[in-house]
Amino acid sequence: MPTAPEVATHVPFAETAHPAVGAVTSLLGAYTPGARFLGTPTRTILAQGTHSEVPHDERPLPQRVAATLDAAQAAGHAAPLVMGAVPFDQTAPAALAVPATAQTAPPLTADPLIALPADPPAAAAWDIRPVPAPEVYGAGVAAAVERMWRGEFSKVVLARTLELTTPEALDIPAMLQRLARRDPSGYTFALPTAPGRTLLGASPELLVSRRGQRVVANPLAGSIPRSDDLAEDVRRAAALLESAKDLHEHAVVVDAVHRALAPYCTGLDVPAQPTLLRTATMWHLSTTVTATLATPDTSALELACALHPTPAVCGTPTATARQVIADTEPFDRGFFTGMVGWGDASGDGEWVVTIRCAEAEERSLRLYAGAGIVAASDPGAETAETGAKFRTFLSAVGAEL
């Protein structure tokens, strides 16, 4: 009987006691659209209402967030935290706010009831439109590979979307339940980004966390779809660990994370080889980077902004990759490949790469998936990889490509 290779787990930065059975899943069940929900390997947060919004102006985002938290404290908010989403383009407006109230509990995995399956999706007549069409996406990958062979750049992450519409109103709480129960050890979120619009998803990738002076980052790059057959699933995992193309792609990202954190941290520990991280649909190469903060006044959000965008969601060199993305993708990424998370007035927080996500409105969903393109990439394989990544969300709504 084949056995699975070693799998890296998300490294928590807080130790939490086990709650009463059902205490954590009750927060998941209490979510309603317009609220803010975030489940991570360290905690579960359900926040209601808005005490204050983080403004959009010329100041750097961490300064605006710190000023908003200070003002909330001065106004009598006992323990303010900021929650929300930052877009791929950091110059665009973020959707960050200090909630009026927030309930915090241990992680979803601490509650045995999270193992109970969610109700299956109700039958729905989904109209699915790919943007761009798969063959157009493949052509974009081929054009990028050709430019890389000419030495113009070394990596770019290209994405595509699916636009889903249905005659019935979306049941966002039910979608959130299915996402959370399918991958409870990851990062599950449902956050308002505009009136009537919700960003929700289940990301496997921690951008950075800070608790006191302890810093953790968990870059993922290099992936392969999983198989329902155990032997084939193990074969794919083992092949990923030996794939020169994927190992190179991963090393580029880890090196970028190391260089971005080095000015802020001491004692950086970067393992020499990646391990594997699994989700319900994908295997990923994973490296957990740990460090000690050099100065106590650097917040988790400052670290996140220094890291964002990593080559895992953009490419390298960054400026060239951004331009290739703008020239190739026929849509605005918005919050996709940005970051979601929370931070408090002490500077602690967790910020997660916004992948495996969708933007939901009353009767429509826009799903996003991307793939890291390097000179060794095959257009057909990259198109198939994005298709596999769509499965996380398609299964949550009962739709199929």
Side-chain angles (χ1 to χ4, degrees), residues 157-158 160 182 221-225 249 279 281-284 312 336 355-357 367-372 382-394:
V157 177
L158 294 178
R160 63 189 183 103
R182 192 174 194 198
S223 55
I224 193 169
E249 180 184 343
T279 70
T281 59
M282 302 293 297
W283 286 105
H284 298 281
F336 171 63
I355 53 177
R356 309 295 190 276
C357 66
L367 280 58
Y368 299 86
E382 304 298 353
T383 304
E385 179 178 317
T386 54
K389 289 174 177 176
F390 281 131
R391 285 168 50 200
T392 295
F393 225 98
L394 290 171

PDB file of all heavy atoms in Angstrom, residues 157-158 160 182 221-225 249 279 281-284 312 336 355-357 367-372 382-394:
ATOM      1  N   VAL A 157       3.058  35.065 -13.640  1.00  0.00           N
ATOM      2  CA  VAL A 157       1.871  34.307 -13.237  1.00  0.00           C
ATOM      3  C   VAL A 157       0.698  34.821 -14.054  1.00  0.00           C
ATOM      4  O   VAL A 157       0.340  36.001 -13.978  1.00  0.00           O
ATOM      5  CB  VAL A 157       1.590  34.459 -11.736  1.00  0.00           C
ATOM      6  CG1 VAL A 157       0.312  33.716 -11.359  1.00  0.00           C
ATOM      7  CG2 VAL A 157       2.765  33.922 -10.928  1.00  0.00           C
ATOM      8  N   LEU A 158       0.116  33.950 -14.855  1.00  0.00           N
ATOM      9  CA  LEU A 158      -1.012  34.324 -15.693  1.00  0.00           C
ATOM     10  C   LEU A 158      -2.283  33.647 -15.183  1.00  0.00           C
ATOM     11  O   LEU A 158      -2.270  32.462 -14.853  1.00  0.00           O
ATOM     12  CB  LEU A 158      -0.757  33.931 -17.148  1.00  0.00           C
ATOM     13  CG  LEU A 158       0.388  34.694 -17.841  1.00  0.00           C
ATOM     14  CD1 LEU A 158       0.584  34.190 -19.263  1.00  0.00           C
ATOM     15  CD2 LEU A 158       0.121  36.193 -17.831  1.00  0.00           C
ATOM     16  N   ARG A 160      -6.734  33.180 -15.315  1.00  0.00           N
ATOM     17  CA  ARG A 160      -7.975  33.246 -16.092  1.00  0.00           C
ATOM     18  C   ARG A 160      -9.149  33.179 -15.144  1.00  0.00           C
ATOM     19  O   ARG A 160      -8.991  32.881 -13.946  1.00  0.00           O
ATOM     20  CB  ARG A 160      -8.029  32.145 -17.151  1.00  0.00           C
ATOM     21  CG  ARG A 160      -8.036  30.708 -16.648  1.00  0.00           C
ATOM     22  CD  ARG A 160      -7.871  29.750 -17.822  1.00  0.00           C
ATOM     23  NE  ARG A 160      -7.943  28.351 -17.440  1.00  0.00           N
ATOM     24  CZ  ARG A 160      -9.009  27.563 -17.646  1.00  0.00           C
ATOM     25  NH1 ARG A 160     -10.106  28.048 -18.210  1.00  0.00           N
ATOM     26  NH2 ARG A 160      -8.982  26.286 -17.287  1.00  0.00           N
ATOM     27  N   ARG A 182     -14.360  21.603   3.781  1.00  0.00           N
ATOM     28  CA  ARG A 182     -13.544  20.813   2.863  1.00  0.00           C
ATOM     29  C   ARG A 182     -12.063  20.956   3.180  1.00  0.00           C
ATOM     30  O   ARG A 182     -11.292  19.994   3.056  1.00  0.00           O
ATOM     31  CB  ARG A 182     -13.806  21.251   1.411  1.00  0.00           C
ATOM     32  CG  ARG A 182     -13.217  20.269   0.409  1.00  0.00           C
ATOM     33  CD  ARG A 182     -13.584  20.613  -0.998  1.00  0.00           C
ATOM     34  NE  ARG A 182     -13.298  19.485  -1.886  1.00  0.00           N
ATOM     35  CZ  ARG A 182     -13.183  19.597  -3.201  1.00  0.00           C
ATOM     36  NH1 ARG A 182     -13.321  20.758  -3.777  1.00  0.00           N
ATOM     37  NH2 ARG A 182     -12.928  18.537  -3.942  1.00  0.00           N
ATOM     38  N   ALA A 221       4.739  27.525  -4.263  1.00  0.00           N
ATOM     39  CA  ALA A 221       4.921  27.668  -5.708  1.00  0.00           C
ATOM     40  C   ALA A 221       5.347  26.319  -6.245  1.00  0.00           C
ATOM     41  O   ALA A 221       6.173  25.629  -5.634  1.00  0.00           O
ATOM     42  CB  ALA A 221       5.973  28.730  -6.030  1.00  0.00           C
ATOM     43  N   GLY A 222       4.769  25.956  -7.392  1.00  0.00           N
ATOM     44  CA  GLY A 222       4.944  24.615  -7.913  1.00  0.00           C
ATOM     45  C   GLY A 222       3.808  23.751  -7.421  1.00  0.00           C
ATOM     46  O   GLY A 222       3.651  23.557  -6.214  1.00  0.00           O
ATOM     47  N   SER A 223       2.992  23.254  -8.324  1.00  0.00           N
ATOM     48  CA  SER A 223       1.812  22.497  -7.892  1.00  0.00           C
ATOM     49  C   SER A 223       1.402  21.501  -8.959  1.00  0.00           C
ATOM     50  O   SER A 223       1.819  21.579 -10.120  1.00  0.00           O
ATOM     51  CB  SER A 223       0.649  23.446  -7.584  1.00  0.00           C
ATOM     52  OG  SER A 223       0.376  24.288  -8.690  1.00  0.00           O
ATOM     53  N   ILE A 224       0.555  20.552  -8.533  1.00  0.00           N
ATOM     54  CA  ILE A 224       0.036  19.534  -9.440  1.00  0.00           C
ATOM     55  C   ILE A 224      -1.338  19.117  -8.925  1.00  0.00           C
ATOM     56  O   ILE A 224      -1.558  19.041  -7.711  1.00  0.00           O
ATOM     57  CB  ILE A 224       1.004  18.324  -9.522  1.00  0.00           C
ATOM     58  CG1 ILE A 224       0.633  17.409 -10.685  1.00  0.00           C
ATOM     59  CG2 ILE A 224       1.034  17.543  -8.218  1.00  0.00           C
ATOM     60  CD1 ILE A 224       1.702  16.355 -10.979  1.00  0.00           C
ATOM     61  N   PRO A 225      -2.293  18.869  -9.823  1.00  0.00           N
ATOM     62  CA  PRO A 225      -3.616  18.428  -9.366  1.00  0.00           C
ATOM     63  C   PRO A 225      -3.544  17.081  -8.664  1.00  0.00           C
ATOM     64  O   PRO A 225      -2.739  16.218  -9.027  1.00  0.00           O
ATOM     65  CB  PRO A 225      -4.430  18.333 -10.662  1.00  0.00           C
ATOM     66  CG  PRO A 225      -3.714  19.208 -11.639  1.00  0.00           C
ATOM     67  CD  PRO A 225      -2.258  19.108 -11.271  1.00  0.00           C
ATOM     68  N   GLU A 249      10.803  27.057  -9.975  1.00  0.00           N
ATOM     69  CA  GLU A 249       9.757  28.059  -9.724  1.00  0.00           C
ATOM     70  C   GLU A 249       9.632  28.336  -8.223  1.00  0.00           C
ATOM     71  O   GLU A 249       9.518  29.490  -7.791  1.00  0.00           O
ATOM     72  CB  GLU A 249       8.422  27.550 -10.283  1.00  0.00           C
ATOM     73  CG  GLU A 249       7.261  28.499 -10.083  1.00  0.00           C
ATOM     74  CD  GLU A 249       5.928  27.922 -10.551  1.00  0.00           C
ATOM     75  OE1 GLU A 249       5.951  26.925 -11.314  1.00  0.00           O
ATOM     76  OE2 GLU A 249       4.885  28.447 -10.137  1.00  0.00           O
ATOM     77  N   THR A 279      -4.081  20.265  -0.439  1.00  0.00           N
ATOM     78  CA  THR A 279      -5.448  20.714  -0.239  1.00  0.00           C
ATOM     79  C   THR A 279      -6.358  19.617  -0.796  1.00  0.00           C
ATOM     80  O   THR A 279      -5.882  18.552  -1.215  1.00  0.00           O
ATOM     81  CB  THR A 279      -5.710  22.052  -0.960  1.00  0.00           C
ATOM     82  OG1 THR A 279      -5.716  21.820  -2.390  1.00  0.00           O
ATOM     83  CG2 THR A 279      -4.646  23.085  -0.612  1.00  0.00           C
ATOM     84  N   THR A 281      -7.770  19.583  -3.561  1.00  0.00           N
ATOM     85  CA  THR A 281      -7.655  19.442  -5.010  1.00  0.00           C
ATOM     86  C   THR A 281      -6.233  19.494  -5.536  1.00  0.00           C
ATOM     87  O   THR A 281      -5.984  19.091  -6.670  1.00  0.00           O
ATOM     88  CB  THR A 281      -8.459  20.551  -5.729  1.00  0.00           C
ATOM     89  OG1 THR A 281      -7.956  21.823  -5.316  1.00  0.00           O
ATOM     90  CG2 THR A 281      -9.931  20.449  -5.394  1.00  0.00           C
ATOM     91  N   MET A 282      -5.260  19.998  -4.746  1.00  0.00           N
ATOM     92  CA  MET A 282      -3.922  20.248  -5.271  1.00  0.00           C
ATOM     93  C   MET A 282      -2.833  19.793  -4.294  1.00  0.00           C
ATOM     94  O   MET A 282      -3.032  19.789  -3.080  1.00  0.00           O
ATOM     95  CB  MET A 282      -3.716  21.757  -5.530  1.00  0.00           C
ATOM     96  CG  MET A 282      -4.693  22.412  -6.485  1.00  0.00           C
ATOM     97  SD  MET A 282      -4.547  21.822  -8.194  1.00  0.00           S
ATOM     98  CE  MET A 282      -2.873  22.344  -8.608  1.00  0.00           C
ATOM     99  N   TRP A 283      -1.655  19.423  -4.873  1.00  0.00           N
ATOM    100  CA  TRP A 283      -0.414  19.328  -4.135  1.00  0.00           C
ATOM    101  C   TRP A 283       0.407  20.579  -4.429  1.00  0.00           C
ATOM    102  O   TRP A 283       0.473  21.026  -5.586  1.00  0.00           O
ATOM    103  CB  TRP A 283       0.411  18.111  -4.577  1.00  0.00           C
ATOM    104  CG  TRP A 283      -0.093  16.779  -4.115  1.00  0.00           C
ATOM    105  CD1 TRP A 283      -0.732  15.835  -4.864  1.00  0.00           C
ATOM    106  CD2 TRP A 283       0.042  16.214  -2.802  1.00  0.00           C
ATOM    107  NE1 TRP A 283      -1.020  14.723  -4.096  1.00  0.00           N
ATOM    108  CE2 TRP A 283      -0.553  14.938  -2.825  1.00  0.00           C
ATOM    109  CE3 TRP A 283       0.605  16.666  -1.618  1.00  0.00           C
ATOM    110  CZ2 TRP A 283      -0.603  14.101  -1.720  1.00  0.00           C
ATOM    111  CZ3 TRP A 283       0.557  15.849  -0.497  1.00  0.00           C
ATOM    112  CH2 TRP A 283      -0.039  14.580  -0.556  1.00  0.00           C
ATOM    113  N   HIS A 284       1.039  21.150  -3.390  1.00  0.00           N
ATOM    114  CA  HIS A 284       1.876  22.333  -3.569  1.00  0.00           C
ATOM    115  C   HIS A 284       3.245  22.094  -2.939  1.00  0.00           C
ATOM    116  O   HIS A 284       3.341  21.472  -1.869  1.00  0.00           O
ATOM    117  CB  HIS A 284       1.263  23.561  -2.883  1.00  0.00           C
ATOM    118  CG  HIS A 284      -0.058  23.973  -3.423  1.00  0.00           C
ATOM    119  ND1 HIS A 284      -0.197  24.692  -4.577  1.00  0.00           N
ATOM    120  CD2 HIS A 284      -1.315  23.785  -2.934  1.00  0.00           C
ATOM    121  CE1 HIS A 284      -1.490  24.920  -4.802  1.00  0.00           C
ATOM    122  NE2 HIS A 284      -2.174  24.380  -3.819  1.00  0.00           N
ATOM    123  N   ALA A 312       5.200  34.361  -6.605  1.00  0.00           N
ATOM    124  CA  ALA A 312       4.178  33.306  -6.652  1.00  0.00           C
ATOM    125  C   ALA A 312       2.873  33.797  -7.250  1.00  0.00           C
ATOM    126  O   ALA A 312       2.070  32.986  -7.729  1.00  0.00           O
ATOM    127  CB  ALA A 312       3.928  32.747  -5.256  1.00  0.00           C
ATOM    128  N   PHE A 336      -8.155  39.457  -6.307  1.00  0.00           N
ATOM    129  CA  PHE A 336      -7.478  38.190  -6.562  1.00  0.00           C
ATOM    130  C   PHE A 336      -5.968  38.418  -6.592  1.00  0.00           C
ATOM    131  O   PHE A 336      -5.474  39.350  -7.217  1.00  0.00           O
ATOM    132  CB  PHE A 336      -7.947  37.605  -7.897  1.00  0.00           C
ATOM    133  CG  PHE A 336      -7.152  36.416  -8.360  1.00  0.00           C
ATOM    134  CD1 PHE A 336      -7.142  35.237  -7.617  1.00  0.00           C
ATOM    135  CD2 PHE A 336      -6.404  36.473  -9.530  1.00  0.00           C
ATOM    136  CE1 PHE A 336      -6.409  34.140  -8.033  1.00  0.00           C
ATOM    137  CE2 PHE A 336      -5.672  35.379  -9.966  1.00  0.00           C
ATOM    138  CZ  PHE A 336      -5.672  34.213  -9.214  1.00  0.00           C
ATOM    139  N   ILE A 355      -6.002  33.591  -3.029  1.00  0.00           N
ATOM    140  CA  ILE A 355      -6.183  32.642  -4.126  1.00  0.00           C
ATOM    141  C   ILE A 355      -7.292  31.674  -3.743  1.00  0.00           C
ATOM    142  O   ILE A 355      -7.783  31.688  -2.625  1.00  0.00           O
ATOM    143  CB  ILE A 355      -4.874  31.897  -4.461  1.00  0.00           C
ATOM    144  CG1 ILE A 355      -4.268  31.256  -3.207  1.00  0.00           C
ATOM    145  CG2 ILE A 355      -3.877  32.846  -5.116  1.00  0.00           C
ATOM    146  CD1 ILE A 355      -3.003  30.428  -3.489  1.00  0.00           C
ATOM    147  N   ARG A 356      -7.682  30.822  -4.716  1.00  0.00           N
ATOM    148  CA  ARG A 356      -8.825  29.898  -4.554  1.00  0.00           C
ATOM    149  C   ARG A 356     -10.049  30.689  -4.076  1.00  0.00           C
ATOM    150  O   ARG A 356     -10.670  30.365  -3.068  1.00  0.00           O
ATOM    151  CB  ARG A 356      -8.529  28.768  -3.566  1.00  0.00           C
ATOM    152  CG  ARG A 356      -7.279  28.037  -3.800  1.00  0.00           C
ATOM    153  CD  ARG A 356      -7.210  27.246  -5.100  1.00  0.00           C
ATOM    154  NE  ARG A 356      -6.017  26.426  -5.023  1.00  0.00           N
ATOM    155  CZ  ARG A 356      -4.795  26.846  -5.337  1.00  0.00           C
ATOM    156  NH1 ARG A 356      -4.609  28.083  -5.779  1.00  0.00           N
ATOM    157  NH2 ARG A 356      -3.756  26.052  -5.246  1.00  0.00           N
ATOM    158  N   CYS A 357     -10.389  31.717  -4.824  1.00  0.00           N
ATOM    159  CA  CYS A 357     -11.401  32.654  -4.352  1.00  0.00           C
ATOM    160  C   CYS A 357     -12.363  33.015  -5.466  1.00  0.00           C
ATOM    161  O   CYS A 357     -12.159  32.681  -6.639  1.00  0.00           O
ATOM    162  CB  CYS A 357     -10.739  33.926  -3.805  1.00  0.00           C
ATOM    163  SG  CYS A 357      -9.880  34.880  -5.074  1.00  0.00           S
ATOM    164  N   LEU A 367     -14.882  33.507 -10.628  1.00  0.00           N
ATOM    165  CA  LEU A 367     -13.838  32.660 -10.068  1.00  0.00           C
ATOM    166  C   LEU A 367     -12.510  32.985 -10.732  1.00  0.00           C
ATOM    167  O   LEU A 367     -12.475  33.334 -11.924  1.00  0.00           O
ATOM    168  CB  LEU A 367     -14.158  31.181 -10.312  1.00  0.00           C
ATOM    169  CG  LEU A 367     -15.157  30.473  -9.396  1.00  0.00           C
ATOM    170  CD1 LEU A 367     -16.512  31.157  -9.401  1.00  0.00           C
ATOM    171  CD2 LEU A 367     -15.304  29.010  -9.814  1.00  0.00           C
ATOM    172  N   TYR A 368     -11.422  32.852  -9.970  1.00  0.00           N
ATOM    173  CA  TYR A 368     -10.091  33.161 -10.470  1.00  0.00           C
ATOM    174  C   TYR A 368      -9.160  31.970 -10.236  1.00  0.00           C
ATOM    175  O   TYR A 368      -9.254  31.297  -9.206  1.00  0.00           O
ATOM    176  CB  TYR A 368      -9.486  34.359  -9.743  1.00  0.00           C
ATOM    177  CG  TYR A 368     -10.245  35.657  -9.876  1.00  0.00           C
ATOM    178  CD1 TYR A 368     -11.294  35.963  -9.009  1.00  0.00           C
ATOM    179  CD2 TYR A 368      -9.885  36.599 -10.848  1.00  0.00           C
ATOM    180  CE1 TYR A 368     -11.970  37.166  -9.121  1.00  0.00           C
ATOM    181  CE2 TYR A 368     -10.561  37.797 -10.959  1.00  0.00           C
ATOM    182  CZ  TYR A 368     -11.606  38.081 -10.097  1.00  0.00           C
ATOM    183  OH  TYR A 368     -12.283  39.268 -10.201  1.00  0.00           O
ATOM    184  N   ALA A 369      -8.241  31.762 -11.174  1.00  0.00           N
ATOM    185  CA  ALA A 369      -7.177  30.774 -10.975  1.00  0.00           C
ATOM    186  C   ALA A 369      -5.993  31.172 -11.839  1.00  0.00           C
ATOM    187  O   ALA A 369      -6.160  31.656 -12.965  1.00  0.00           O
ATOM    188  CB  ALA A 369      -7.647  29.369 -11.344  1.00  0.00           C
ATOM    189  N   GLY A 370      -4.794  30.975 -11.293  1.00  0.00           N
ATOM    190  CA  GLY A 370      -3.595  31.335 -12.029  1.00  0.00           C
ATOM    191  C   GLY A 370      -2.554  30.234 -11.953  1.00  0.00           C
ATOM    192  O   GLY A 370      -2.645  29.317 -11.143  1.00  0.00           O
ATOM    193  N   ALA A 371      -1.525  30.360 -12.802  1.00  0.00           N
ATOM    194  CA  ALA A 371      -0.430  29.397 -12.825  1.00  0.00           C
ATOM    195  C   ALA A 371       0.876  30.140 -13.062  1.00  0.00           C
ATOM    196  O   ALA A 371       0.914  31.128 -13.805  1.00  0.00           O
ATOM    197  CB  ALA A 371      -0.647  28.348 -13.915  1.00  0.00           C
ATOM    198  N   GLY A 372       1.928  29.659 -12.416  1.00  0.00           N
ATOM    199  CA  GLY A 372       3.250  30.245 -12.594  1.00  0.00           C
ATOM    200  C   GLY A 372       3.883  29.759 -13.890  1.00  0.00           C
ATOM    201  O   GLY A 372       4.042  28.554 -14.086  1.00  0.00           O
ATOM    202  N   GLU A 382      -0.434  24.071 -18.139  1.00  0.00           N
ATOM    203  CA  GLU A 382      -0.796  25.222 -17.308  1.00  0.00           C
ATOM    204  C   GLU A 382      -2.293  25.489 -17.382  1.00  0.00           C
ATOM    205  O   GLU A 382      -2.922  25.870 -16.389  1.00  0.00           O
ATOM    206  CB  GLU A 382      -0.008  26.463 -17.740  1.00  0.00           C
ATOM    207  CG  GLU A 382       1.497  26.285 -17.731  1.00  0.00           C
ATOM    208  CD  GLU A 382       2.078  25.981 -16.361  1.00  0.00           C
ATOM    209  OE1 GLU A 382       1.351  26.031 -15.355  1.00  0.00           O
ATOM    210  OE2 GLU A 382       3.295  25.680 -16.287  1.00  0.00           O
ATOM    211  N   THR A 383      -2.898  25.285 -18.540  1.00  0.00           N
ATOM    212  CA  THR A 383      -4.352  25.434 -18.664  1.00  0.00           C
ATOM    213  C   THR A 383      -5.058  24.391 -17.805  1.00  0.00           C
ATOM    214  O   THR A 383      -6.037  24.695 -17.112  1.00  0.00           O
ATOM    215  CB  THR A 383      -4.787  25.295 -20.133  1.00  0.00           C
ATOM    216  OG1 THR A 383      -4.083  26.252 -20.926  1.00  0.00           O
ATOM    217  CG2 THR A 383      -6.286  25.526 -20.281  1.00  0.00           C
ATOM    218  N   ALA A 384      -4.539  23.159 -17.814  1.00  0.00           N
ATOM    219  CA  ALA A 384      -5.133  22.111 -16.980  1.00  0.00           C
ATOM    220  C   ALA A 384      -4.960  22.419 -15.500  1.00  0.00           C
ATOM    221  O   ALA A 384      -5.866  22.155 -14.689  1.00  0.00           O
ATOM    222  CB  ALA A 384      -4.491  20.767 -17.320  1.00  0.00           C
ATOM    223  N   GLU A 385      -3.808  22.993 -15.114  1.00  0.00           N
ATOM    224  CA  GLU A 385      -3.588  23.330 -13.708  1.00  0.00           C
ATOM    225  C   GLU A 385      -4.594  24.366 -13.228  1.00  0.00           C
ATOM    226  O   GLU A 385      -5.157  24.241 -12.138  1.00  0.00           O
ATOM    227  CB  GLU A 385      -2.164  23.850 -13.503  1.00  0.00           C
ATOM    228  CG  GLU A 385      -1.876  24.253 -12.057  1.00  0.00           C
ATOM    229  CD  GLU A 385      -0.452  24.730 -11.859  1.00  0.00           C
ATOM    230  OE1 GLU A 385       0.471  24.104 -12.411  1.00  0.00           O
ATOM    231  OE2 GLU A 385      -0.265  25.729 -11.131  1.00  0.00           O
ATOM    232  N   THR A 386      -4.849  25.398 -14.031  1.00  0.00           N
ATOM    233  CA  THR A 386      -5.844  26.389 -13.612  1.00  0.00           C
ATOM    234  C   THR A 386      -7.229  25.762 -13.534  1.00  0.00           C
ATOM    235  O   THR A 386      -8.016  26.099 -12.654  1.00  0.00           O
ATOM    236  CB  THR A 386      -5.858  27.591 -14.571  1.00  0.00           C
ATOM    237  OG1 THR A 386      -6.034  27.129 -15.922  1.00  0.00           O
ATOM    238  CG2 THR A 386      -4.569  28.388 -14.477  1.00  0.00           C
ATOM    239  N   GLY A 387      -7.506  24.832 -14.442  1.00  0.00           N
ATOM    240  CA  GLY A 387      -8.793  24.141 -14.367  1.00  0.00           C
ATOM    241  C   GLY A 387      -8.942  23.367 -13.075  1.00  0.00           C
ATOM    242  O   GLY A 387     -10.009  23.358 -12.452  1.00  0.00           O
ATOM    243  N   ALA A 388      -7.859  22.710 -12.636  1.00  0.00           N
ATOM    244  CA  ALA A 388      -7.903  21.972 -11.372  1.00  0.00           C
ATOM    245  C   ALA A 388      -8.100  22.925 -10.193  1.00  0.00           C
ATOM    246  O   ALA A 388      -8.819  22.599  -9.240  1.00  0.00           O
ATOM    247  CB  ALA A 388      -6.620  21.172 -11.198  1.00  0.00           C
ATOM    248  N   LYS A 389      -7.483  24.092 -10.246  1.00  0.00           N
ATOM    249  CA  LYS A 389      -7.632  25.042  -9.152  1.00  0.00           C
ATOM    250  C   LYS A 389      -9.053  25.593  -9.065  1.00  0.00           C
ATOM    251  O   LYS A 389      -9.523  25.941  -7.974  1.00  0.00           O
ATOM    252  CB  LYS A 389      -6.614  26.178  -9.312  1.00  0.00           C
ATOM    253  CG  LYS A 389      -5.176  25.722  -9.041  1.00  0.00           C
ATOM    254  CD  LYS A 389      -4.153  26.798  -9.342  1.00  0.00           C
ATOM    255  CE  LYS A 389      -2.756  26.324  -9.002  1.00  0.00           C
ATOM    256  NZ  LYS A 389      -1.711  27.307  -9.377  1.00  0.00           N
ATOM    257  N   PHE A 390      -9.751  25.665 -10.179  1.00  0.00           N
ATOM    258  CA  PHE A 390     -11.153  26.090 -10.145  1.00  0.00           C
ATOM    259  C   PHE A 390     -12.022  25.106  -9.358  1.00  0.00           C
ATOM    260  O   PHE A 390     -13.093  25.473  -8.863  1.00  0.00           O
ATOM    261  CB  PHE A 390     -11.715  26.198 -11.568  1.00  0.00           C
ATOM    262  CG  PHE A 390     -11.326  27.441 -12.310  1.00  0.00           C
ATOM    263  CD1 PHE A 390     -10.834  27.359 -13.602  1.00  0.00           C
ATOM    264  CD2 PHE A 390     -11.470  28.700 -11.739  1.00  0.00           C
ATOM    265  CE1 PHE A 390     -10.486  28.501 -14.312  1.00  0.00           C
ATOM    266  CE2 PHE A 390     -11.123  29.852 -12.437  1.00  0.00           C
ATOM    267  CZ  PHE A 390     -10.622  29.747 -13.725  1.00  0.00           C
ATOM    268  N   ARG A 391     -11.574  23.853  -9.255  1.00  0.00           N
ATOM    269  CA  ARG A 391     -12.418  22.828  -8.634  1.00  0.00           C
ATOM    270  C   ARG A 391     -12.771  23.150  -7.184  1.00  0.00           C
ATOM    271  O   ARG A 391     -13.837  22.759  -6.706  1.00  0.00           O
ATOM    272  CB  ARG A 391     -11.723  21.466  -8.712  1.00  0.00           C
ATOM    273  CG  ARG A 391     -11.743  20.840 -10.100  1.00  0.00           C
ATOM    274  CD  ARG A 391     -10.807  19.649 -10.199  1.00  0.00           C
ATOM    275  NE  ARG A 391     -11.003  18.699  -9.105  1.00  0.00           N
ATOM    276  CZ  ARG A 391     -10.089  17.799  -8.750  1.00  0.00           C
ATOM    277  NH1 ARG A 391      -8.923  17.756  -9.380  1.00  0.00           N
ATOM    278  NH2 ARG A 391     -10.346  16.960  -7.764  1.00  0.00           N
ATOM    279  N   THR A 392     -11.866  23.851  -6.460  1.00  0.00           N
ATOM    280  CA  THR A 392     -12.166  24.206  -5.072  1.00  0.00           C
ATOM    281  C   THR A 392     -13.499  24.921  -4.990  1.00  0.00           C
ATOM    282  O   THR A 392     -14.345  24.614  -4.142  1.00  0.00           O
ATOM    283  CB  THR A 392     -11.048  25.104  -4.503  1.00  0.00           C
ATOM    284  OG1 THR A 392      -9.844  24.354  -4.452  1.00  0.00           O
ATOM    285  CG2 THR A 392     -11.396  25.594  -3.090  1.00  0.00           C
ATOM    286  N   PHE A 393     -13.682  25.889  -5.862  1.00  0.00           N
ATOM    287  CA  PHE A 393     -14.906  26.676  -5.789  1.00  0.00           C
ATOM    288  C   PHE A 393     -16.069  26.059  -6.539  1.00  0.00           C
ATOM    289  O   PHE A 393     -17.218  26.135  -6.105  1.00  0.00           O
ATOM    290  CB  PHE A 393     -14.650  28.104  -6.299  1.00  0.00           C
ATOM    291  CG  PHE A 393     -15.269  29.115  -5.399  1.00  0.00           C
ATOM    292  CD1 PHE A 393     -14.522  29.761  -4.432  1.00  0.00           C
ATOM    293  CD2 PHE A 393     -16.623  29.380  -5.454  1.00  0.00           C
ATOM    294  CE1 PHE A 393     -15.096  30.662  -3.569  1.00  0.00           C
ATOM    295  CE2 PHE A 393     -17.207  30.279  -4.591  1.00  0.00           C
ATOM    296  CZ  PHE A 393     -16.448  30.928  -3.643  1.00  0.00           C
ATOM    297  N   LEU A 394     -15.783  25.419  -7.661  1.00  0.00           N
ATOM    298  CA  LEU A 394     -16.868  24.784  -8.402  1.00  0.00           C
ATOM    299  C   LEU A 394     -17.582  23.742  -7.541  1.00  0.00           C
ATOM    300  O   LEU A 394     -18.811  23.620  -7.571  1.00  0.00           O
ATOM    301  CB  LEU A 394     -16.329  24.141  -9.676  1.00  0.00           C
ATOM    302  CG  LEU A 394     -15.853  25.122 -10.768  1.00  0.00           C
ATOM    303  CD1 LEU A 394     -15.142  24.359 -11.871  1.00  0.00           C
ATOM    304  CD2 LEU A 394     -17.038  25.910 -11.338  1.00  0.00           C
TER     305      LEU A 394
END
